[in-house]
């Protein structure tokens, strides 16, 4: 790659190497331009209480609106951004946009928790807690208005340093969530040691759970495990009323999925909320 990570975490550009790829701009230089040209968009997906249908938060999901390639999904550039260290720039962007959204909503009397995804590289960044604190202070927000989602593999990459960063973040008062739970290779012992507040069951277990006994058993056990450890349990990938109902019956606390809403541009959230709350419009929460 044409990027190097300096000791202070900044990404520096290696001009000599880039000459060799004059024809096709490197993805990294495209990502850098995308930031300057404001091609990233903050999308959000509502998270709601499965018992009542009340919206309690949103997950921030980044999109890249590329001039030629159209909407580029995070799976196509997040792994690359992680390898090059550029993810720190993206994470800073997402935190900043999410904080601005949270403040704007609060000004309208809407109080939602913002969930933001972090990557391994973020957990190894010793400056992250301070950067996050600065963003919160700038927007006048409490740390409790954020939930930071991390994956098991991000923790396993360097458990000691990850644990240190997570402890500092948690001490600030931010919620921590283990994302894609069940798909990583982590030891359950980490659950005991890490200061987490939430478990997110991976969508691969949820999507088809009303037809797949194995998935249903895994989901049920994960909900019980989370509750036994005093954690809030969230399901992602709810695509039908049947799965919503089943999860509510199993006692799952919160959920998100295409059945309620696909990720939408953050500007559209206030209108979506109005529509969701209007009687008769939104699908009724299962009894
Ligand atoms: P994730 O954090 O597990 O996010 C959930 C993914 O599941 C999102 O995909 C969301 O659109 C999708 N999803 C939600 N409900 C449903 C459903 O009912 N059915 C199906 N089939 N899918 C559903 P998305 O937005 O493409 O993001 C993919 C992954 O990229 C995320 O997985 C996350 O790991 C990463 N990502 C997204 N935005 C960011 C970001 O700002 N920073 C970092 N570090 N990673 C991000
Ligand atoms: Mg997530
Ligand atoms: Mg997830
Ligand atoms: Mg997932």
């Amino acid at each position: 790659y044409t990027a190097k990570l300096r000791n202070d975490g900044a990404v520096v550009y290696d001009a000599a190497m880039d000459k060799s790829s004059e024809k096709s701009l490197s993805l990294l230089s495209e990502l850098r331009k995308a930031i300057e040209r404001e091609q990233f968009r903050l999308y959000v997906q509502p998270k709601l209480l499965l018992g009542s249908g009340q919206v309690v938060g949103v997950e921030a999901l980044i999109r890249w609106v590329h001039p030629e390639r159209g909407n580029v999904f995070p799976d196509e550039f997040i792994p690359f951004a992680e390898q090059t260290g550029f993810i720190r720039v993206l994470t800073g962007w997402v935190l900043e946009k999410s904080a601005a959204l949270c403040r704007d909503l609060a000004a309208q009397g809407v109080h939602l928790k913002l969930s933001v995804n972090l990557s391994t590289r973020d957990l190894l960044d010793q400056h992250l807690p301070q950067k996050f604190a600065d963003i919160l202070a700038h927007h006048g927000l409490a740390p409790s208005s954020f939930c930071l989602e991390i994956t098991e593999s991000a923790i396993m990459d360097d458990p000691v340093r990850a644990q240190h960063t997570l402890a500092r973040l948690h001490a600030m008062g931010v919620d921590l969530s283990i994302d894609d739970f069940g798909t990583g290779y982590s030891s359950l012992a980490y659950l005991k040691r890490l200061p987490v507040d939430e478990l997110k069951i991976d969508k691969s277990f949820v999507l088809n759970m009303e037809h797949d006994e194995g998935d249903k058993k895994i989901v049920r056990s994960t909900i019980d495990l989370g509750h036994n450890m005093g954690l809030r349990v969230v399901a992602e990938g709810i695509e039908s009323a049947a799965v919503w109902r089943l999860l509510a019956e199993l006692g799952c606390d919160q959920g998100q999925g295409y059945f309620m809403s696909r990720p939408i541009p953050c500007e559209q959230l206030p209108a979506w909320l109005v529509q969701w709350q209007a009687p008769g419009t939104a699908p009724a929460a299962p009894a």
Side-chain angles (χ1 to χ4, degrees):
Y1 298 119
T2 56
K4 284 178 185 155
L5 200 61
R6 269 193 340 228
N7 288 339
D8 62 0
V11 178
V12 288
Y13 204 44
D14 190 332
M17 280 182 70
D18 220 13
K19 272 189 185 158
S20 65
S21 57
E22 262 169 52
K23 274 183 231 158
S24 60
L25 288 170
S26 74
L27 181 52
L28 181 65
S29 79
E30 279 198 74
L31 286 172
R32 291 167 61 91
K33 282 191 193 132
I35 282 271
E36 285 163 24
R37 295 175 184 174
E38 300 184 3
Q39 292 171 356
F40 290 107
R41 293 278 178 281
L42 189 75
Y43 274 55
V44 291
Q45 187 180 38
K47 273 172 89 171
L48 37 86
L49 299 180
L50 291 178
S52 63
Q54 186 197 335
V55 181
V56 288
V58 290
E59 177 173 9
L61 296 159
I62 195 169
R63 296 288 182 265
W64 180 9
V65 184
H66 192 281
E68 285 109 45
R69 285 190 271 162
N71 236 340
V72 185
F73 284 85
D75 288 337
E76 291 175 57
F77 62 91
I78 292 283
F80 178 84
E82 282 173 356
Q83 285 160 27
T84 54
F86 191 74
I87 191 70
R88 293 182 184 180
V89 177
L90 286 184
T91 299
W93 185 89
V94 173
L95 284 172
E96 171 62 34
K97 291 288 171 194
S98 300
L101 173 67
C102 188
R103 178 207 53 202
D104 290 351
L105 290 169
Q108 300 167 43
V110 179
H111 298 279
L112 297 180
K113 203 182 272 277
L114 266 290
S115 289
V116 172
N117 293 286
L118 294 185
S119 79
T120 309
R121 250 349 213 288
D122 297 310
L123 291 184
L124 302 182
D125 178 4
Q126 57 181 4
H127 302 293
L128 178 74
Q130 188 56 49
K131 285 186 216 163
F132 181 54
D134 290 345
I135 290 171
L136 291 174
H138 180 247
H139 292 281
L141 294 170
S144 58
S145 47
F146 273 82
C147 177
L148 300 176
E149 299 189 357
I150 56 226
T151 58
E152 296 163 90
S153 46
I155 298 161
M156 290 305 282
D157 274 3
D158 189 341
V160 176
R161 274 176 81 182
Q163 217 171 320
H164 184 68
T165 309
L166 293 176
R168 283 173 65 200
L169 287 166
H170 198 254
M172 290 169 61
V174 64
D175 276 9
L176 297 177
S177 173
I178 308 263
D179 204 351
D180 302 342
F181 188 78
T183 58
Y185 300 94
S186 87
S187 141
L188 286 174
Y190 280 108
L191 260 192
K192 193 176 75 174
R193 256 182 278 159
L194 292 170
V196 293
D197 306 280
E198 178 183 284
L199 274 195
K200 270 185 104 164
I201 308 174
D202 190 68
K203 60 177 176 286
S204 60
F205 304 114
V206 175
L207 288 169
N208 205 29
M209 66 177 281
E210 89 266 41
H211 302 300
D212 188 312
E213 269 312 307
D215 285 344
K216 202 190 293 178
K217 283 177 184 158
I218 288 172
V219 169
R220 179 188 287 125
S221 309
T222 307
I223 293 167
D224 291 346
L225 171 71
H227 285 166
N228 286 333
M229 306 216 46
L231 307 175
R232 162 171 94 226
V233 182
V234 181
E236 61 175 31
I238 302 174
E239 292 192 354
S240 68
V243 168
W244 179 350
R245 192 174 309 116
L246 195 51
L247 285 163
E249 279 165 15
L250 294 175
C252 188
D253 304 292
Q254 297 181 19
Q256 59 188 86
Y258 292 174
F259 179 69
M260 299 83 147
S261 172
R262 286 183 176 256
I264 52 173
C266 67
E267 304 79 25
Q268 293 177 16
L269 182 64
W272 183 89
L273 287 168
V274 168
Q275 204 199 333
W276 182 256
Q277 280 148 14
T281 350

